[in-house]
Amino acid sequence: MKNNIPKIIVLIIGLFLINFLANKFYKRLDLTQDKRYTLSETTVDIVDNLEENAIIKVYLEGDFPSEFKRLQNETRQHLEELYTVNDGIKYRFIDPLDTAEELVKQGLQPSRLSVQEDGKLSEAVIFPWAAITYKGKTENINLLAEVTADSQEEQLQSSIENLEFAFTDAIYKVSSEENQTIAILKGNGELDDIYLTSFLNQLNQYYKLAPFTLDSVAKQPQKTLEQLTNYDLTIIAKPQEKFTEEEKFTLDQYITNGGKTLWLIDNVTAELDSLMGTGQSLAFNKDLNLTDLLFSYGVRINYDLIRDAYSSTIKLADGNVGSNTQFNDYIWHYYPFVTSKNDHPITKGVDPVNLKFANTIDTLKNPVDKTILLQSSEFSKSIGTPVIVSLEDIAKKPEKKDYNRGFQTLGVLLEGKFTSAYADRVKPFETPIFKEQSNSNKMVVIADGDIIANEVVKGQPIELGVDKYTGVRYGNSEFLMNTINYLLDDSGLLELRNKQIQLQFLDKEKAYEERAFWQLTNVILPLIILLLFGVVFTLIRKRKFS
């Protein structure tokens, strides 16, 4: 016994050292193939910079469908990962049923789910929400991704993929103190505020926004240019009036001095509202006086309209049922819904974007790098303008031979050193900050101003990208937010939004059909194994001791 005492002491000391080192050098290993539990550098940086406790309440507790237990477990595991980065992350799971009315008043709407268990279909109500509070600021987190999905499983997959972005995004909102600034250009007939409400409300959660008018250029051009250069990015949303040379020069020098721009330009006047009264309308060219400016950067927006076999719908009256007018949805080839063929971070994972009366874009040869972000389908064609647009086109069956122009560019990203359009020209006014060429810079040009315009129902704006008649959700909002993030170098949040993981789902019908077999297997197989083990063990003992 005395000889064992030193060994016992060494063992105790060893265990103590192991525990001490394990607490000092804590490390978690992610052995999943898609690294779903590995936090991005962006998340680590944002969470690590929290100076006080961040309190997170998760309303995923209680009795709800088994498949959504996975969302609960994935949420819990993700919060555990955040806690390992900063122990100021304090979280708890709460059963929402006791405070359901209060949650609804706070804007946390419940979700109704179809649940299939034991071959029976039923409905369940859950609150897939969390809320984070930090330094007196609170942000709600929707854990159920709002995506267009063919099944509940797909929506669940998207929700789990979105977890890291959802929490990191919320933490960023409540903890960020310095925001980049965005100017919303006014003064040249740009979209009214009511049509920009949805996207600007979303944008305002991340950046400082302010309207900026170029009217003052006429009287104080130098001061106006200096004021504009204080903004990191400028959005030019569907201008209707011609830009003067002084206004163009102001935008040009804003760009050469490092300002980012998002151009949303219609070169043709064509509106559906003007069609509804007479059934046809003239689509005619606008003179915005921007062609030479954009040409110097490497693009040209054409005077045409794109017609695409892959398009969204418009609602038209086509008869009466009794005294009530009958309305139906019809494919409208002037409203293409478009995607990108590349895997760029701006477009990756984004639903098709809906455009209205879009123009085509030509890219020109110059040192600036160009990436096609939006393009029509293979079955599309451009129509020169001016042209009569008629609702009678709906009744015409599209001929394949007429839609054979292939992919047409509708949106492009430009990256590089932009040469001033006034490098070899007389300048409209003198400025001490004049530059003939910018440093490395970025801009995006979209040949459609309506991409940013939300629809209005009974005088109230609705969510951008949602069709007010069909309720179909397009990817306009996500595409534009990705674009802004990319232009302002918020690439970390952009990557998180596009994170993908692979989940394996149970085939419910097959499981229900074969449940008797597997139940018997799980009960009988262990008994058979124990019986065999007992027989073999008995035979071995008899042979050994006989």
Side-chain angles (χ1 to χ4, degrees):
M1 181 64 182
K2 291 181 179 181
N3 293 334
N4 292 330
I5 291 177
K7 295 180 180 179
I8 294 172
I9 294 173
V10 170
L11 179 62
I12 293 172
I13 294 173
L15 291 173
F16 176 79
L17 287 174
I18 290 172
N19 277 278
F20 174 79
L21 293 173
N23 283 300
K24 195 73 174 176
F25 304 100
Y26 179 76
K27 181 66 177 176
R28 293 164 69 95
L29 299 177
D30 185 358
L31 302 180
T32 57
Q33 186 175 2
D34 49 23
K35 298 300 178 184
R36 73 178 65 173
Y37 304 117
T38 300
L39 299 177
S40 70
E41 292 182 8
T42 301
T43 297
V44 173
D45 289 342
I46 291 174
V47 174
D48 194 43
N49 287 328
L50 294 177
E51 300 171 349
E52 299 179 8
N53 289 344
I55 309 302
I56 300 176
K57 299 177 182 178
V58 185
Y59 300 103
L60 279 178
E61 193 63 69
D63 185 23
F64 47 83
S66 57
E67 58 197 39
F68 280 86
K69 285 285 186 182
R70 172 171 276 180
L71 179 60
Q72 180 195 53
N73 293 334
E74 294 284 349
T75 301
R76 193 186 305 276
Q77 288 170 348
H78 179 68
L79 291 174
E80 288 174 359
E81 295 295 330
L82 296 183
Y83 178 79
T84 63
V85 176
N86 189 328
D87 58 10
I89 297 290
K90 309 295 184 182
Y91 62 90
R92 61 193 178 102
F93 283 70
I94 300 171
D95 190 336
L97 295 183
D98 298 333
T99 57
E101 291 185 8
E102 186 64 29
L103 294 177
V104 172
K105 290 180 181 178
Q106 296 174 16
L108 309 186
Q109 296 296 328
S111 295
R112 297 183 180 276
L113 308 171
S114 297
V115 182
Q116 185 175 358
E117 291 183 343
D118 296 332
K120 297 179 181 179
L121 191 65
S122 60
E123 187 178 72
V125 177
I126 69 168
F127 282 81
W129 291 89
I132 179 171
T133 301
Y134 179 78
K135 289 187 175 181
K137 296 171 64 177
T138 299
E139 183 71 27
N140 294 328
I141 306 168
N142 190 353
L143 302 179
L144 198 60
E146 294 182 356
V147 296
T148 302
D150 295 330
S151 66
Q152 204 161 271
E153 285 80 5
E154 287 185 14
Q155 187 178 29
L156 179 61
Q157 163 115 4
S158 298
S159 301
I160 293 174
E161 288 176 348
N162 192 59
L163 276 178
E164 184 176 357
F165 171 75
F167 280 101
T168 304
D169 181 54
I171 295 170
Y172 176 79
K173 288 177 183 176
V174 296
S175 64
S176 179
E177 297 179 355
E178 295 183 5
N179 299 93
Q180 293 175 291
T181 55
I182 296 177
I184 313 302
L185 204 68
K186 299 289 183 181
N188 292 82
E190 287 82 3
L191 285 170
D192 291 336
D193 290 344
I194 194 170
Y195 297 104
L196 297 173
T197 299
S198 176
F199 185 65
L200 295 189
N201 283 343
Q202 184 180 2
L203 207 58
N204 194 45
Q205 299 175 37
Y206 305 90
Y207 307 104
K208 293 180 180 178
L209 310 180
F212 190 94
T213 178
L214 292 179
D215 293 345
S216 56
V217 169
K219 295 181 179 180
Q220 297 178 309
Q222 292 88 356
K223 183 179 179 180
T224 304
L225 173 57
E226 290 174 4
Q227 289 174 339
L228 185 59
T229 55
N230 292 326
Y231 292 89
D232 299 292
L233 183 143
T234 297
I235 298 176
I236 304 102
K238 198 178 179 179
Q240 304 291 323
E241 300 172 9
K242 185 176 181 178
F243 286 77
T244 66
E245 289 301 317
E246 290 80 7
E247 291 170 341
K248 287 167 55 181
F249 183 66
T250 300
L251 290 173
D252 176 81
Q253 286 305 295
Y254 168 74
I255 291 167
T256 57
N257 279 276
K260 311 294 192 299
T261 44
L262 173 57
W263 300 86
L264 309 173
I265 305 297
D266 280 346
N267 252 0
V268 175
T269 297
E271 302 292 341
L272 185 64
D273 292 344
S274 61
L275 279 168
M276 292 304 185
T278 61
Q280 62 181 18
S281 177
L282 176 66
F284 57 92
N285 301 337
K286 294 178 187 175
D287 181 15
L288 296 176
N289 196 27
L290 292 174
T291 301
D292 58 336
L293 191 66
L294 296 176
F295 190 93
S296 67
Y297 307 141
V299 294
R300 176 176 56 222
I301 300 178
N302 297 312
Y303 291 103
D304 61 4
L305 292 175
I306 193 75
R307 282 175 59 91
D308 198 325
Y310 292 92
S311 304
S312 59
T313 62
I314 59 174
K315 189 174 286 292
L316 297 174
D318 62 357
N320 295 296
V321 177
S323 59
N324 297 321
T325 304
Q326 182 76 18
F327 290 90
N328 277 307
D329 296 318
Y330 293 93
I331 298 292
W332 183 236
H333 291 165
Y334 290 102
Y335 281 10
F337 58 89
V338 299
T339 57
S340 175
K341 299 302 178 185
N342 60 48
D343 203 27
H344 193 274
I346 291 178
T347 56
K348 184 178 179 181
V350 174
D351 289 336
V353 174
N354 191 31
L355 304 182
K356 298 178 179 179
F357 295 112
N359 318 131
T360 62
I361 297 176
D362 290 335
T363 54
L364 311 170
K365 289 186 178 180
N366 69 357
V368 174
D369 294 330
K370 303 168 187 71
T371 304
I372 307 302
L373 297 179
L374 297 175
Q375 62 188 47
S376 65
S377 76
E378 185 178 2
F379 305 105
S380 62
K381 66 174 180 178
S382 62
I383 300 173
T385 53
V387 65
I388 297 293
V389 178
S390 175
L391 292 178
E392 293 179 358
D393 293 340
I394 290 174
K396 298 177 182 178
K397 185 178 180 180
E399 298 288 341
K400 189 174 181 180
K401 61 182 178 63
D402 293 333
Y403 290 80
N404 58 0
R405 299 291 180 87
F407 304 107
Q408 301 289 314
T409 300
L410 306 174
V412 61
L413 164 69
L414 307 177
E415 298 177 282
K417 297 180 179 181
F418 299 117
T419 300
S420 169
Y422 294 85
D424 301 314
R425 293 166 54 185
V426 176
K427 302 168 189 60
F429 60 86
E430 294 298 325
T431 173
I433 62 173
F434 174 77
K435 284 187 176 183
E436 289 193 357
Q437 190 178 60
S438 73
N439 295 325
S440 184
N441 202 352
K442 306 174 189 175
M443 70 170 64
V444 169
V445 180
I446 309 294
D448 176 42
D450 290 307
I451 186 175
I452 197 174
N454 55 254
E455 298 197 66
V456 178
V457 177
K458 296 181 179 179
Q460 297 298 317
I462 63 173
E463 185 180 351
L464 175 61
V466 175
D467 187 287
K468 65 180 179 181
Y469 294 116
T470 63
V472 174
R473 183 186 299 275
Y474 298 100
N476 295 44
S477 181
E478 188 175 2
F479 169 80
L480 290 173
M481 184 56 71
N482 285 357
T483 300
I484 299 293
N485 288 158
Y486 186 84
L487 290 175
L488 293 177
D489 296 319
D490 284 347
S491 54
L493 289 175
L494 188 60
E495 291 174 3
L496 287 182
R497 190 182 285 117
N498 294 327
K499 183 176 181 179
Q500 294 182 331
I501 61 176
Q502 184 59 48
L503 302 179
Q504 301 298 327
F505 292 99
L506 185 68
D507 187 331
K508 294 181 179 179
E509 291 186 5
K510 186 176 181 180
Y512 179 71
E513 292 174 357
E514 300 179 1
R515 65 174 182 168
F517 169 76
W518 291 110
Q519 286 173 345
L520 289 172
T521 300
N522 288 329
V523 172
I524 296 174
L525 186 59
L527 295 177
I528 294 174
I529 293 173
L530 286 174
L531 179 62
L532 290 174
F533 176 79
V535 170
V536 172
F537 182 74
T538 301
L539 291 175
I540 291 173
R541 283 180 60 83
K542 284 184 176 180
R543 179 173 295 182
K544 184 175 181 180
F545 298 107
S546 60

